[in-house]
Amino acid sequence: MAGGGADDGGSYSLVTGSVYVFNLIVGAGALALPDAFSQAGYIGGTVLLFILAMASAITSSFMIEAMSLSNALAKSRGMVQDDDTNSDKAPLLKGNINETADDDKDALFRITHRPLSEMAFLAGAFFTPLGEKVFYAVIAIYLYGDLCIYAVAVPKSLRSVFCPLSDGNATEYLDTFGNGYSTHSNHSEICFLGLTHEKSYYAFLVIFALALGPFCYFSMTKTKWLQIFTTVMRYVTFLMLISLAVVGIIHPDPFVKPTNEDHPPKFKDITVFNLHGMTIMFGVSVYAFMCQHSLPSLLTPISNQRNLPRMVFIVFILVAFFYYALIYSAILRFPAKTLTDPNYDVYTLVFADYPVRFCSVFLQLFPVFVLSTNFPIISITLRNNLITLGRKIRGIPPGQVLQSKTAMLIERLLVPTLAIGPPILVAFFTTEVEVLISFTGSYAGVGIQYVIPTMAVYSARRVARGELGNDSTKANPFKSVFYHDVWIFISLFWSAACVIIVTYNHITQAK
């Protein structure tokens, strides 16, 4: 049986892979951080964001280790074969891992088979039957929820820029979830391609589906230029947000309408620590470093994986640096009254009335750049997990090349359609997704980001020690820096704490 390699779509460099991971982590949710941070205080917010970054980095390293162990076990069993792995050697690796040459050891543990690395396969291979069922429920809820959010938010963001509601100075704004609100109530004004404000949403939805939907039918490598383009847009946007804030600190020039009371605050007036604000920030930023679900699709095609764990850790540091730069420039430039104003819960909206029109429009389009990049990644991740589930139901081993044309058509056409079709339909029939966001993000997200990677690496180590020898997990070049078992318990404890704190946050906000 031959197994598909990097999604059977070619490979890319370590640098390109790091760009993909960075793009996935930095979502539009980053724009809600300044508001939450100003409420938590600069001491409490700084510490909490660091803890969240470390927690996600730990479980990401768990995910990478579990992926490598899954590939190694399959190769040692003769289930798959790489061009650089001699299948005749594979049985000799059992119980003799310390006597194996470094090159063979790297080839054994290298993450070369994407189907063997997906969360769905890890759950099937290492979880109990009940655990596997829970996994599929969690992954479906989370990924479908994400795709629904993107399918609604992008058309709304485009509409707010190219077809805003306005009567004089009144302007439509978008909240965190892409929901528009305005003081103007006339939705029949012609504004885009002869369409009204309300109908323009559907035009943008069709454009969104036609432009990004086809990516789900191909491999992750086909999104390379889209990823590079949006990466440039992200860097430009962050630098613009930070630069405009710094300029405003040095040369105060109020522009936020209608009050123009956005003078930089005195440092003594900035909140230092607020416990209630900490819970609010936790609810906003607990998934600011989410990427674990798509690591198999993003990392498998990387050709040189020798420094893979280090690269992922560096990406987390880079993302944290951007978050801190964005947040501190914001709280030093704008008073808490402005940042916590419901009209500006997305940071880019603070610049909606910026005197330089280009900057204003460009910053309002930032959510479009971010979500448009993430939509193909999330849809491909969902498609791959659905394929794994389908193969398991039909009894087809992961990585096996399909001989039936009907089976190939199902996986190449039907399954991708099942991945992107429902979210597009949801976006067509409703634009109210707040409840969906709060459920999928708060609870399913804990499972995807923390619980599943932790349990996967714990179970994979037990199986690998039994089949490859007790020292096999220590010899794994992709093992987590946080290898000691104590980190397993810390991660699970943190997962439980996340559920409790987020639930408390939902209850207090509902009152």
Side-chain angles (χ1 to χ4, degrees):
M1 289 177 285
D7 219 10
D8 295 328
S11 61
Y12 42 71
S13 68
L14 192 65
V15 174
T16 300
S18 67
V19 169
Y20 282 23
V21 177
F22 179 90
N23 279 351
L24 181 64
I25 296 176
V26 181
L31 301 180
L33 291 177
D35 175 3
F37 198 92
S38 67
Q39 298 181 63
Y42 61 86
I43 296 297
T46 299
V47 173
L48 179 57
L49 195 64
F50 174 78
I51 293 174
L52 291 170
M54 286 300 299
S56 194
I58 289 171
T59 55
S60 293
S61 70
F62 286 168
M63 188 66 193
I64 293 172
E65 182 180 345
M67 291 160 56
S68 67
L69 290 175
S70 176
N71 277 258
L73 287 166
K75 294 169 188 175
S76 70
R77 295 166 181 168
M79 294 172 56
V80 293
Q81 181 179 346
D82 292 336
D83 294 337
D84 55 353
T85 302
N86 187 340
S87 61
D88 293 334
K89 281 186 177 182
L92 299 177
L93 295 171
K94 184 176 180 180
N96 295 299
I97 195 71
N98 289 326
E99 301 175 7
T100 304
D102 288 341
D103 288 343
D104 289 334
K105 200 179 298 182
D106 287 346
L108 176 67
F109 289 101
R110 191 173 301 140
I111 305 169
T112 52
H113 295 269
R114 195 268 309 154
L116 302 174
S117 307
E118 292 290 348
M119 277 189 169
F121 179 81
L122 299 180
F126 304 125
F127 290 3
T128 64
L130 176 61
E132 184 180 11
K133 291 182 176 67
V134 171
F135 161 78
Y136 277 111
V138 169
I139 194 77
I141 290 171
Y142 182 81
L143 295 182
Y144 270 121
D146 260 10
L147 293 176
C148 289
I149 294 166
Y150 298 163
V152 169
V154 170
K156 277 197 166 184
S157 297
L158 290 170
R159 183 181 65 178
S160 72
V161 174
F162 296 106
C163 192
L165 290 173
S166 61
D167 58 348
N169 293 326
T171 304
E172 181 192 38
Y173 294 103
L174 293 177
D175 63 18
T176 307
F177 311 122
N179 296 303
Y181 54 90
S182 171
T183 57
H184 184 57
S185 59
N186 180 17
H187 289 246
S188 61
E189 180 181 348
I190 302 298
C191 58
F192 179 77
L193 296 178
L195 300 174
T196 62
H197 169 84
E198 186 173 359
K199 290 183 179 179
S200 67
Y201 166 81
Y202 298 101
F204 287 122
L205 177 60
V206 171
I207 294 172
F208 171 82
L210 293 178
L212 299 179
F215 284 107
C216 187
Y217 295 84
F218 302 101
S219 68
M220 193 68 70
T221 57
K222 303 301 182 183
T223 69
K224 177 179 180 178
W225 293 108
L226 175 65
Q227 299 287 336
I228 292 175
F229 169 75
T230 52
T231 298
V232 173
M233 294 297 101
R234 288 169 199 244
Y235 276 106
V236 170
T237 300
F238 272 111
L239 291 175
M240 185 179 294
L241 286 170
I242 295 168
S243 299
L244 294 179
V246 171
V247 169
I249 296 170
I250 299 173
H251 301 290
D253 183 17
F255 59 83
V256 178
K257 296 178 181 179
T259 61
N260 283 355
E261 295 179 355
D262 54 302
H263 294 278
K266 296 180 180 179
F267 191 76
K268 65 182 181 64
D269 295 329
I270 301 175
T271 302
V272 178
F273 181 87
N274 182 281
L275 184 59
H276 177 65
M278 288 278 287
T279 63
I280 294 175
M281 181 177 173
F282 189 93
V284 170
S285 57
V286 64
Y287 307 115
F289 297 92
M290 171 79 82
C291 66
Q292 290 78 358
H293 51 72
S294 291
L295 287 180
S297 295
L298 296 177
L299 302 184
T300 304
I302 294 177
S303 53
N304 182 6
Q305 298 181 359
R306 187 172 296 273
N307 295 313
L308 188 59
R310 183 183 303 175
M311 178 274 287
V312 173
F313 194 77
I314 290 174
V315 169
F316 275 95
I317 294 175
L318 183 61
V319 172
F321 171 79
F322 267 99
Y323 285 167
Y324 280 128
L326 175 70
I327 291 168
Y328 273 99
S329 63
I331 66 173
L332 293 174
R333 168 62 182 89
F334 299 102
K337 181 180 179 181
T338 298
L339 293 176
T340 58
D341 188 320
N343 290 338
Y344 308 128
D345 64 346
V346 174
Y347 183 47
T348 51
L349 295 179
V350 175
F351 297 89
D353 297 312
Y354 195 74
V356 181
R357 180 61 178 165
F358 171 79
C359 295
S360 172
V361 173
F362 185 85
L363 292 177
Q364 289 184 75
L365 285 174
F366 177 70
V368 176
F369 299 142
V370 173
L371 301 181
S372 295
T373 307
N374 287 359
F375 187 86
I377 295 177
I378 301 300
S379 63
I380 291 173
T381 299
L382 177 58
R383 178 203 70 190
N384 292 342
N385 281 280
L386 290 176
I387 288 175
T388 302
L389 175 60
R391 288 195 170 203
K392 183 177 182 62
I393 293 174
R394 290 178 289 162
I396 302 175
Q400 178 176 318
V401 176
L402 298 177
Q403 303 297 330
S404 168
K405 290 185 178 180
T406 301
M408 293 175 62
L409 288 175
I410 289 175
E411 290 195 358
R412 294 181 181 180
L413 295 178
L414 179 60
V415 176
T417 303
L418 290 176
I420 62 173
I424 298 299
L425 288 176
V426 169
F428 183 83
F429 288 106
T430 182
T431 59
E432 305 301 323
V433 293
E434 298 97 321
V435 176
L436 179 65
I437 290 172
S438 99
F439 181 75
T440 61
S442 299
Y443 300 107
V446 169
I448 299 298
Q449 187 173 13
Y450 301 126
V451 178
I452 292 173
T454 301
M455 295 308 299
V457 76
Y458 173 75
S459 303
R461 287 174 184 174
R462 292 182 61 185
V463 175
R465 287 165 184 161
E467 294 192 25
L468 302 178
N470 290 329
D471 295 329
S472 59
T473 55
K474 293 181 180 179
N476 181 5
F478 298 101
K479 71 176 181 293
S480 171
V481 176
F482 310 94
Y483 177 79
H484 198 282
D485 286 344
V486 69
W487 290 105
I488 299 290
F489 296 103
I490 290 175
S491 180
L492 293 177
F493 175 81
W494 174 253
S495 302
C498 288
V499 171
I500 294 171
I501 296 174
V502 171
T503 301
Y504 169 79
N505 192 39
H506 285 325
I507 294 173
T508 55
Q509 286 183 340
K511 291 182 178 180

